[in-house]
Amino acid sequence: MQALWLLLIPVMLVGGFFLIRAFMRLSKSIVELRTAMTDLADAGAALNSVQDEVSRLGASIDEARPR
């Protein structure tokens, strides 16, 4: 019975190590995901700005074009 307890301790230590390592990787992935989402939001805002400029350009071309 003592052998089982002695075996359980290293198993728990190794399992705890890998569990902590998995949480650290998860945390890093979450930070990278937040960064990517922020970059995507910035790109969306820039795209909306470009779309507005293209709309204004199209409207000015329509006004300047003789019919």
Side-chain angles (χ1 to χ4, degrees):
M1 191 66 181
Q2 284 182 341
L4 290 176
W5 282 108
L6 291 176
L7 183 64
L8 184 63
I9 291 171
V11 168
M12 287 178 58
L13 289 174
V14 170
F17 168 76
F18 284 111
L19 185 64
I20 290 171
R21 199 167 122 191
F23 278 121
M24 289 172 56
R25 283 185 177 180
L26 179 63
S27 176
K28 184 178 176 184
S29 295
I30 289 171
V31 169
E32 289 177 0
L33 180 62
R34 284 183 181 167
T35 303
M37 294 298 285
T38 302
D39 292 346
L40 186 59
D42 293 342
L47 184 60
N48 285 337
S49 175
V50 169
Q51 183 180 7
D52 291 341
E53 290 291 325
V54 169
S55 295
R56 271 190 252 140
L57 180 62
S60 66
I61 289 174
D62 288 342
E63 289 175 4
R65 184 183 304 162
R67 292 183 184 200

